[in-house]
Amino acid sequence: MAEDRLRHLKGRLAKDPELRCKYSDFMYDLQTKGYARKIPEDKISDSTGIVWYLPHHNIIHPKKPDKVRVVFDCIAKYRSESLNESVLQGPNLTNSLIGVLLRFRQEPVAVMADVEAMFHQVRVDPAHVSCLRFLWYLGGDIIKDPEEYQMLVHLFSGVWSPSCAAFALRKPAEDNVGKFDDDIIETVFRNFYVDDLLKSVKSSEDAVRIYTQTSKLLFHGGFHLTKWISNKRDVLEAILETELTKDLKNVDLETDNLPIERALGMQWNAENDKFVYNISIKDKPFTRRGVLSITSSIYDPLGFVSPLILRAKLILQNLCRKKLNWDEEIPAAELTEWRRWLTELPTIKQLSIDRCTKPEMFEDVAENELHHFSDASEVGYGAVSYLRQVEKKGKVYCSFVIGKSRLTPIKPVTIPRLELSAAAVAVKLEKLVKRELEIRVDKSYFWTDSTSVLKYIKNENKRFQTFVANKLAIIHDGTDPNQWFYVETASNPADDASRGLTAAQLIDSSRWIQGPEFLWKNDLVWKDNSPTVDDEISEDDPE
């Protein structure tokens, strides 16, 4: 199998001298850095361990067309077996991506860094390296017969690699508890997503300390933290130039603007410390497959533009409802709507969201509140969460935390049930945010414009059918009925999540990103306008 794949690769390399040169350089680099070696002649026939041969191929990142990376195919099968199916995956030690992003937004000073070739810094047990054999040409000369090599480190495509690499990354932190500050140890455990470090701190001094101590700590484990960037110039000046990200190498920190960097796939403008969107859409056919491809390509883990994406999902759902084939051209009505959506999509670059959920002038926060809004309509349902912070002097600041927008099922569901589903989503967001944020949450409030939901929640006597009972179980397990309040539809930002917004509406609307106006009032008194528990409610109580 490996020989056959190599013959096909040889044909490609023979036709493309530039690719052959870059491919050979990559393989040579693996050997010079000690990541791979040519198997000694006396070890080739060694049958004391398990032997497996991996095919390999190149991939080219669309944003890095000049760089070639060779990937070893761990899912390649021989006689219905593959290496990935034969190796245990190991425990999941990877932090939640959403959790790392939420913590990255907590404080005004942000830093990012990357572990250089993380998987390749972790050695494989010598007894197992024969599982990582591959064929290649000595000196990259494809005219010669292939030789046998083996990897000595973990592979990017190995199902086991993330667990092993994460374990190794945490090991120096575990071994040096007490020798480094507690927040440095916690940084290694909580602020890495695979090989990416994202951290926010209160001051530039703390950021410089994170840079020096975290780099020193991980050096004990053989890891090199590099590609540093920050939104503060005094922090960047304290970092060695060789350790800065590539886009900062030729930047004059006194006069030039800081670059836009990718923060776990999101675009972060370090100059103005905002998340931005610069979406470039590839040409795709006007088919159901093309609509799905473009819709899925918009990366939005925190839900900043989920109302906009909902409209595209609705078009896709209508195509599914009409049972259109994947490669069949979409009907005129949906085509007009789809073209309109594509035309307005580029304007989303005008949208920017503050990275930090707390302004710098907020020195002493007296109270942190989470406010969750939910809503449903005929086309969708969703929830959105905001962090409301009150300073000791009485200043109020409200920031978007996370939003979720979902389509209603194709099978009809009543609006009260959809409203209840949206309320359950709000409760799940509450658990997620409180689990991941590292700030004290003093109070949590839940808002809905559905009187049916409020009567469902406050009614503890009636027994409901399975669907309603399951949703109520989620709500009652995560909240107290006294936390639920009524809000008018005009002041409910979750209405945008349930109905969708155009790009222009999303940019112009302050309700979705900043929250409703009443959250910004410092003399706010919460008034429960919800129905009393004595109100009668039926299984599908009309609004």
Side-chain angles (χ1 to χ4, degrees):
M1 180 268 292
E3 287 176 336
D4 186 57
R5 290 276 295 271
L6 187 65
R7 279 193 296 271
H8 285 86
L9 175 64
K10 178 180 178 180
R12 290 179 50 231
L13 297 180
K15 296 176 183 178
D16 191 340
E18 183 180 357
L19 176 61
R20 182 174 72 243
C21 181
K22 292 179 179 179
Y23 206 106
S24 299
D25 288 345
F26 189 96
M27 289 300 204
Y28 178 74
D29 194 49
L30 288 179
Q31 298 173 62
T32 55
K33 290 182 177 179
Y35 302 154
R37 70 167 183 175
K38 184 177 178 298
I39 303 176
E41 293 292 334
D42 60 330
K43 298 291 185 180
I44 290 179
S45 59
D46 185 4
S47 60
T48 57
I50 301 173
V51 177
W52 187 264
Y53 288 85
L54 290 166
H56 47 84
H57 60 274
N58 67 285
I59 60 171
I60 299 177
H61 196 287
K63 296 186 181 297
K64 303 174 184 177
D66 296 330
K67 186 177 180 180
V68 170
R69 171 180 284 183
V70 176
V71 174
F72 293 90
D73 191 353
C74 295
I75 64 173
K77 289 189 176 184
Y78 175 70
R79 293 182 179 175
S80 301
E81 285 190 90
S82 71
L83 183 61
N84 271 354
E85 292 174 337
S86 304
V87 182
L88 295 176
Q89 182 174 338
N92 182 13
L93 301 177
T94 303
N95 288 314
S96 161
L97 182 144
I98 290 178
V100 173
L101 282 174
L102 290 178
R103 292 187 286 276
F104 184 57
R105 301 186 64 204
Q106 288 181 178
E107 300 294 345
V109 182
V111 289
M112 284 199 322
D114 175 73
V115 180
E116 184 179 16
M118 177 178 169
F119 288 7
H120 285 171
Q121 306 311 309
V122 186
R123 293 273 177 174
V124 174
D125 191 314
H128 301 155
V129 293
S130 287
C131 292
L132 307 180
R133 292 190 181 189
F134 64 95
L135 303 175
W136 183 239
Y137 303 99
L138 185 64
D141 187 353
I142 62 175
I143 303 301
K144 297 179 180 178
D145 292 333
E147 304 279 354
E148 296 193 19
Y149 295 79
Q150 61 189 185
M151 292 296 294
L152 305 175
V153 295
H154 293 282
L155 308 177
F156 293 105
S157 57
V159 69
W160 67 90
S161 296
S163 183
C164 292
F167 177 85
L169 187 73
R170 296 178 175 206
K171 195 68 168 68
E174 292 176 352
D175 292 343
N176 288 277
V177 173
K179 299 179 183 178
F180 288 83
D181 294 340
D182 291 343
D183 63 328
I184 301 298
I185 302 296
E186 192 68 13
T187 295
V188 176
F189 281 100
R190 294 274 287 169
N191 296 100
F192 275 92
Y193 182 76
V194 191
D195 59 347
D196 292 308
L197 168 64
L198 287 81
K199 180 76 173 182
S200 64
V201 290
K202 294 181 178 180
S203 67
S204 295
E205 292 76 15
D206 287 337
V208 173
R209 185 171 55 85
I210 292 292
Y211 157 66
T212 55
Q213 290 203 28
T214 307
S215 297
K216 184 178 179 181
L217 172 61
L218 293 185
F219 181 78
H220 288 297
F223 295 102
H224 177 210
L225 267 180
T226 185
K227 298 181 181 179
W228 287 86
I229 185 172
S230 174
N231 61 323
K232 299 296 182 182
R233 297 174 189 272
D234 52 348
V235 175
L236 296 174
E237 290 172 353
I239 298 174
L240 292 174
E241 185 177 350
T242 56
E243 302 296 347
L244 293 174
T245 186
K246 180 182 177 181
D247 293 337
L248 280 173
K249 295 293 176 67
N250 299 317
V251 169
D252 187 332
L253 295 179
E254 294 184 1
T255 59
D256 295 341
N257 287 336
L258 300 181
I260 295 176
E261 283 289 321
R262 297 183 72 83
L264 297 185
M266 299 188 66
Q267 294 180 314
W268 172 45
N269 188 330
E271 176 64 29
N272 55 26
D273 198 22
K274 293 179 180 289
F275 290 122
V276 295
Y277 287 85
N278 186 14
I279 300 173
S280 57
I281 299 297
K282 296 181 180 179
D283 289 333
K284 295 289 183 180
F286 295 134
T287 62
R288 180 178 162 194
R289 191 187 305 277
V291 173
L292 175 62
S293 177
I294 292 177
T295 305
S296 302
S297 68
I298 301 176
Y299 185 70
D300 186 38
L302 296 180
F304 292 130
V305 296
S306 55
L308 176 65
I309 299 174
L310 180 74
R311 292 179 55 238
K313 290 180 178 179
L314 181 60
I315 297 172
L316 184 62
Q317 187 185 62
N318 288 335
L319 298 177
C320 295
R321 186 179 283 112
K322 292 182 177 182
K323 299 181 179 180
L324 207 70
N325 292 329
W326 281 107
D327 297 307
E328 184 178 347
E329 189 168 336
I330 61 181
E334 284 77 13
L335 179 59
T336 300
E337 187 66 25
W338 178 242
R339 280 177 168 163
R340 184 184 297 119
W341 189 84
L342 288 177
T343 301
E344 68 185 40
L345 187 60
T347 61
I348 202 66
K349 67 174 63 174
Q350 301 175 32
L351 179 69
S352 62
I353 301 99
D354 291 335
R355 175 202 57 83
C356 185
T357 55
K358 179 179 67 175
E360 290 192 62
M361 63 271 198
F362 265 51
E363 296 180 359
D364 296 314
V365 176
E367 193 167 33
N368 294 302
E369 300 169 352
L370 283 175
H371 291 262
H372 309 279
F373 295 80
S374 62
D375 188 54
S377 72
E378 297 85 355
V379 296
Y381 65 97
V384 59
S385 303
Y386 299 91
L387 176 64
R388 183 178 185 268
Q389 297 179 295
V390 183
E391 195 187 31
K392 288 185 177 179
K393 296 180 181 179
K395 292 181 180 180
V396 175
Y397 191 80
C398 185
S399 56
F400 183 103
V401 178
I402 189 170
K404 290 287 184 182
S405 187
R406 296 175 177 172
L407 288 173
T408 59
I410 292 179
K411 183 179 178 180
V413 180
T414 62
I415 294 296
R417 285 191 172 199
L418 289 173
E419 294 275 13
L420 199 60
S421 297
V425 172
V427 174
K428 292 177 181 178
L429 291 184
E430 153 86 354
K431 290 182 178 180
L432 169 66
V433 173
K434 290 184 75 172
R435 181 176 68 244
E436 299 295 351
L437 280 182
E438 294 175 338
I439 61 174
R440 182 193 75 255
V441 176
D442 299 295
K443 296 178 182 177
S444 293
Y445 298 87
F446 295 82
W447 300 86
T448 177
D449 57 13
S450 169
T451 56
S452 295
V453 167
L454 294 173
K455 288 189 283 184
Y456 272 131
I457 295 172
K458 293 180 181 292
N459 192 310
E460 298 180 354
N461 299 321
K462 184 177 178 61
R463 296 183 64 182
F464 298 102
Q465 294 182 6
T466 304
F467 181 94
V468 173
N470 287 343
K471 299 302 179 184
L472 285 176
I474 294 173
I475 294 170
H476 287 150
D477 287 346
T479 65
D480 186 277
N482 293 326
Q483 292 178 273
W484 287 86
F485 296 87
Y486 176 81
V487 61
E488 294 181 352
T489 301
S491 298
N492 187 1
D495 185 61
D496 298 334
S498 67
R499 300 180 187 274
L501 295 174
T502 65
Q505 289 172 335
L506 185 62
I507 294 168
D508 295 338
S509 172
S510 61
R511 183 175 73 167
W512 175 251
I513 295 299
Q514 298 179 8
E517 290 185 9
F518 72 84
L519 285 186
W520 291 80
K521 297 180 180 179
N522 58 5
D523 58 346
L524 190 60
V525 177
W526 310 116
K527 293 183 179 180
D528 186 358
N529 299 321
S530 57
T532 65
V533 293
D534 295 329
D535 289 340
E536 292 294 328
I537 184 168
S538 64
E539 178 65 21
D540 290 316
D541 192 30
E543 292 288 11

